[in-house]
Amino acid sequence: MPDTRLTDEQESLRRTVAEFAREVVAPVAARHDEDRTFPYEVVAGMAAMGLFGLPFPESYGGMGGDFFTLCLAIEELARVDSSVAITLEAGCSLGAMPIYRFGTEKQKREWLPMLCSGAALGAFGLTEPAAGSDAGGTRTTAHLDSGMWVINGSKAFITNSGTTITRLVTVTAVTGTSGDDRDADRTKEISSIVVPVPAPGFTAEPAYSKVGWHASDTHPLAFVDVRVPEANLLGERGRGYANFLAILDEGRIAISALAVGLAQACVDESVAYARTRHAFGRPIAANQAISFKIADMEARVHVARTAYYDAAARMAAGLPFKKEAAIAKLVSSEAAVTNAREATQIHGGYGFMNEYPVARHWRDSKILEIGEGTSEVQKMIIAHHLGL
Amino acid sequence: MNIVVTVKQVPDTWAEKKLDPTTRTTDRKSVDNVMNEMDEYGVEEALKIKEAHGGEVTVVTMGPEKALETVRKALSMGADKAVHITDEALAGSDALQTSAALAKVIATLSPDIVITAAEASDARGGVLGALLAEHLGFPQLTQARKVTVDPGAGTVRIERQADNGYLLVEAATPVVVGVVEKINQPRYPSFKGIMAAKKKPLTTLSVADAGLDPGTVGLANAASTVLDAQPAPPRQSGTIVKDEGDGGTRVADFLAAQKLI
Ligand SMILES: Cc1cc2nc3c(=O)[nH]c(=O)nc-3n(C[C@H](O)[C@H](O)[C@H](O)COP(=O)(O)OP(=O)(O)OC[C@H]3O[C@@H](n4cnc5c(N)ncnc54)[C@H](O)[C@@H]3O)c2cc1C
Ligand SMILES: Cc1cc2nc3c(=O)[nH]c(=O)nc-3n(C[C@H](O)[C@H](O)[C@H](O)COP(=O)(O)OP(=O)(O)OC[C@H]3O[C@@H](n4cnc5c(N)ncnc54)[C@H](O)[C@@H]3O)c2cc1C
């Protein structure tokens, strides 16, 4: 077991982000949720603190922290607002990380500083209307034409892809096939390509009407003869799918941190409410039906946090962490959904009212069992590690 | 510009505050402690002056070992170095003693500007700046909501917050400046700042190191004594007025009884 204790610096950062969440995010969270607006002013505040550069080296404009530290920041933001937390998660671990992991020195110098500063956001376009869990089913294509990639196709549900500060979208596209067309096990060659935006032929279609994450930016994307330089190929040609899957392994730990933040918020809100809400002449917390519910919620958060700390510490120590990341994502997203359901229950009729944060947490929780690999996909990964 | 800014660690403003029943001083053990919120504005102003005119920002605090967290926070925001006066013998010192100790140390730093907050959220004495200025023999500019420094002329001009506007007040350096919350928006430390804080110079001084007379410090030698302390009475539950046609009149009667209308 790797050491999961936080360093003094990680603890200081966690507290600083908690303070920021309480003072800057909390006062506007309900309004952005209600109005479905992207919280540019909050993102600017996060940028000023350097959060978007947290896990990247200072030489690329980063803060010199690590992925574990990023997860701590995401957890604290999600305790107040999941939309803000996913904006950071997607910006860092999906937008900038592929460039940091797979980019050439030139690509890193070109794109990382603006992403690390938070002045620009990058998006990650893997999912397509007809290819989600089975992302290898990508239909978007890219072919070379006089030194330019020409991209055609569409992507679905892409986070941070249509803000006024979105500056690039990294996409997976079929760049060729190996084997014969008539061959049954003919395999597609999938590569990833950086598309700086805006670009002629690129459209972020109108934002989805979502159940939750109202202040997070999610769009369908259309690519019609979008031309980008050949040098925008990210990583080796044909390694696009594999590289994206590697990014998702890390991303799962971050999503797990986000889920833990939400699950913790549900505990915090429930404790406060159950103490002060009276029914039948006493606080509802005086009923074990309520206090045991909250005890179970607390136990779920603890287990989930321990799981993501372990996966993050393994990653930091250079140990294998794929299975642990999948387990952390699975248990923490389920903890978030269950805790959100229980917290709304404890709030009675008020739990169904948007003015109570638990109502928002409830709507924001379900996506956690779906995004960055569904719970079923996590089980596929875990089972695969068991040789099944 | 050589800028000194005083900071104090206080019980978290969001937590319930208590007095130690035996010493009748603030109980700092049972709650989370944080930097006095108004001091964050002081640190921010010091950093802004430094950013505009160059120089160095030194944070000075007196307090228990734990107050180091507050010093670190100021350093992670961007201050250059810190002095922490800490000694068991200092426990229970009152404002007069604290200001004497801080002044003694601050004098050795030869500052151009000493920045303090208008008050700390625990004791809310609001006298430290004035006492410091007296000890140091510096003029003091208080309740500053805006500070303009003219290094060439060696002057500091402030907008002094008043009830119905502001006063323009100016003094020659060295000067003590007391700031209010309107003055700026304190930055949140970045992770780089947090990492850097650990490596910045920190001087820890005991009573002896600071050259203080042991016979003048601590609870036993305080000029003021807290004779008695009572917890604040629990808040009374409000009066509920049921509207039986005369609701308006009864609310008005209530407000009149409270001398609010
Ligand atoms: C708000 C939001 C933001 C998103 N952001 C991004 C983003 O930034 N970038 C990006 O690329 N994608 C993003 N996504 C897409 C997300 O990753 C996918 O929705 C997710 O991977 C599931 O894919 P799908 O929706 O196509 O569902 P499908 O893959 O069609 O799955 C449908 C159901 O079938 C199950 N299933 C599928 N295959 C199997 C199997 N073999 N065994 C058992 N069960 C199976 C799934 O678990 C699921 O329950 C986002 C989605 C949402 C909703
Ligand atoms: C959309 C909507 C429409 C509604 N429409 C109507 C309507 O038309 N007419 C109407 O009169 N009402 C209506 N209601 C009110 C609804 O019936 C109440 O919200 C519900 O009865 C719960 O009461 P409460 O919200 O006061 O929760 P509380 O009674 O405060 O309960 C809070 C929590 O404590 C639990 N609890 C309370 N006492 C105990 C105990 N002794 N042991 C264990 N657990 C306990 C509850 O189960 C709940 O989980 C509506 C509510 C909503 C949200």
Side-chain angles (χ1 to χ4, degrees):
Chain A
M1 264 253 172
D3 191 350
T4 56
R5 281 172 302 182
L6 305 187
T7 62
D8 285 352
E9 288 77 18
Q10 287 175 323
E11 182 58 27
S12 293
L13 180 92
R14 194 188 63 71
R15 286 174 69 151
T16 304
V17 177
E19 216 175 285
F20 174 83
R22 182 171 79 184
E23 294 168 358
V24 178
V25 184
V28 298
R31 178 168 56 80
H32 284 298
D33 177 61
E34 189 82 17
D35 299 348
R36 300 180 182 232
T37 41
F38 187 76
Y40 287 101
E41 77 285 16
V42 171
V43 168
M46 286 153 64
M49 283 168 79
L51 293 187
F52 287 93
L54 204 44
F56 303 105
E58 291 182 36
S59 50
Y60 300 118
M63 287 285 131
D66 63 5
F67 201 79
F68 196 162
T69 313
L70 172 68
C71 290
L72 298 172
I74 291 169
E75 180 189 336
E76 288 302 333
L77 292 171
R79 262 175 102 154
V80 171
D81 186 346
S82 290
S83 289
V84 165
I86 190 61
T87 300
L88 175 64
E89 195 277 340
C92 266
S93 92
L94 300 182
M97 197 55 90
I99 293 169
Y100 176 59
R101 289 263 183 265
F102 307 113
T104 60
E105 191 56 31
K106 188 166 173 291
Q107 290 173 327
K108 290 190 226 185
R109 298 236 168 263
E110 183 173 354
W111 292 312
L112 285 179
M114 71 174 182
L115 298 177
C116 286
S117 75
L121 285 173
F124 177 87
L126 177 66
T127 307
E128 298 193 356
S133 302
D134 182 16
T138 295
R139 291 183 188 169
T140 297
T141 60
H143 69 268
L144 277 172
D145 174 39
S146 43
M148 303 289 276
W149 289 108
V150 182
I151 305 168
N152 281 286
S154 52
K155 295 287 172 182
F157 311 128
I158 309 305
T159 304
N160 287 346
S161 61
T163 72
T164 59
I165 56 171
T166 302
R167 287 293 168 269
L168 60 87
V169 181
T170 304
V171 295
T172 44
V174 179
T175 47
T177 48
S178 58
D180 194 281
D181 256 8
R182 289 156 301 181
D183 195 345
D185 49 47
R186 166 186 79 109
T187 50
K188 289 184 198 164
E189 175 197 87
I190 298 178
S191 308
S192 39
I193 300 171
V194 178
V195 181
V197 297
F202 166 84
T203 319
E205 310 273 5
Y208 292 95
S209 167
K210 305 192 292 285
V211 168
W213 283 7
H214 284 172
S216 161
D217 180 74
T218 327
H219 299 265
L221 304 180
F223 298 80
V224 181
D225 289 333
V226 176
R227 299 174 76 87
V228 302
E230 186 175 357
N232 284 16
L233 177 74
L234 187 66
E236 249 177 82
R237 185 168 173 165
R239 294 283 303 159
Y241 182 53
N243 289 348
F244 265 41
L245 291 188
I247 287 296
L248 287 176
D249 286 332
E250 302 176 4
R252 277 174 194 134
I253 307 175
I255 288 290
S256 177
L258 199 162
V260 167
L262 185 147
Q264 179 70 59
C266 291
V267 174
D268 300 343
E269 297 286 344
S270 297
V271 167
Y273 191 78
R275 277 201 184 126
T276 50
R277 175 71 176 177
H278 283 70
F280 303 103
R282 53 189 191 155
I284 57 170
N287 305 297
Q288 285 189 334
I290 299 294
S291 65
F292 278 19
K293 225 191 251 307
I294 301 177
D296 281 334
M297 289 163 69
E298 174 71 6
R300 260 177 231 120
V301 181
H302 182 82
V303 170
R305 183 179 289 114
T306 306
Y308 105 66
Y309 272 31
D310 174 60
R314 282 175 167 276
M315 182 183 156
L319 299 169
F321 65 91
K322 253 176 102 112
K323 183 185 75 178
E324 288 76 11
I327 292 173
K329 161 76 165 65
L330 178 68
V331 301
S332 59
S333 58
E334 287 180 354
V337 171
T338 309
N339 279 13
R341 191 184 66 240
E342 296 288 52
T344 48
Q345 184 65 21
I346 289 164
H347 280 67
Y350 296 103
F352 197 61
M353 298 298 122
N354 279 328
E355 65 182 282
Y356 280 77
V358 288
R360 175 160 49 86
H361 296 324
W362 184 51
R363 287 186 283 103
D364 284 347
S365 66
K366 184 59 208 175
I367 175 62
L368 295 166
E369 293 180 330
I370 298 168
E372 296 200 30
T374 63
S375 289
E376 290 76 14
V377 167
Q378 307 311 319
K379 290 177 194 178
M380 282 165 62
I381 295 167
I382 299 163
H384 178 77
H385 276 264
L386 298 173
L388 303 172
Chain B
M1 283 286 128
N2 187 6
I3 310 157
V4 165
V5 52
T6 60
V7 299
K8 182 181 187 184
Q9 191 176 51
V10 298
D12 192 345
T13 23
W14 295 65
E16 197 185 332
K17 278 166 266 185
K18 290 194 204 110
L19 287 181
D20 183 313
T22 52
T23 63
R24 298 199 188 91
T25 54
T26 315
D27 179 355
R28 297 175 195 282
K29 294 200 186 88
S30 66
V31 291
D32 258 7
N33 291 289
V34 299
M35 185 193 296
N36 173 41
E37 204 178 314
M38 227 188 265
D39 287 341
E40 295 181 11
Y41 296 80
V43 174
E44 177 67 31
E45 201 55 27
L47 296 173
K48 283 193 151 154
I49 296 171
K50 177 192 153 173
E51 283 158 9
H53 304 287
E56 193 174 50
V57 175
T58 309
V59 187
V60 179
T61 194
M62 177 173 127
E65 220 182 303
K66 263 189 77 70
L68 186 60
E69 293 163 8
T70 286
V71 169
R72 283 259 154 79
K73 172 149 190 199
L75 292 173
S76 62
M77 285 172 76
D80 300 289
K81 58 189 177 62
V83 181
H84 181 193
I85 315 169
T86 186
D87 200 313
E88 285 291 329
L90 292 165
S93 292
D94 64 8
L96 209 54
Q97 294 165 301
T98 305
S99 63
L102 288 172
K104 180 122 194 172
V105 169
I106 291 171
T108 67
L109 299 167
S110 322
D112 299 303
I113 305 175
V114 178
I115 298 181
T116 67
E119 67 175 31
S121 65
D122 52 353
R124 305 197 61 184
V127 293
L128 190 92
L131 293 170
L132 268 184
E134 196 62 27
H135 283 297
L136 292 163
F138 292 179
Q140 64 157 332
L141 302 171
T142 57
Q143 308 284 334
R145 63 170 212 187
K146 184 173 182 209
V147 176
T148 317
V149 178
D150 185 340
T155 56
V156 174
R157 174 182 289 205
I158 67 154
E159 285 181 15
R160 182 178 202 280
Q161 180 68 41
D163 283 344
N164 45 7
Y166 65 89
L167 305 169
L168 269 185
V169 195
E170 190 179 277
T173 56
V175 60
V176 173
V177 178
V179 301
V180 296
E181 279 150 325
K182 272 211 178 76
I183 195 161
N184 57 40
Q185 194 52 56
R187 68 196 68 184
Y188 292 91
S190 71
F191 190 65
K192 215 193 294 188
I194 290 169
M195 295 295 284
K198 221 176 154 181
K199 295 172 208 125
K200 289 179 176 172
L202 166 71
T203 313
T204 308
L205 301 177
S206 64
V207 165
D209 298 334
L212 299 168
D213 176 355
T216 63
V217 301
L219 189 61
N221 302 302
S224 54
T225 317
V226 180
L227 297 176
D228 193 15
Q230 297 294 334
R235 223 188 282 172
Q236 302 291 314
S237 58
T239 316
I240 295 172
V241 176
K242 262 221 180 90
D243 185 12
E244 285 153 0
D246 59 346
T249 337
R250 290 175 58 198
V251 168
D253 287 349
F254 174 81
L255 294 174
Q258 305 290 317
K259 299 200 166 38
L260 291 167
I261 53 171

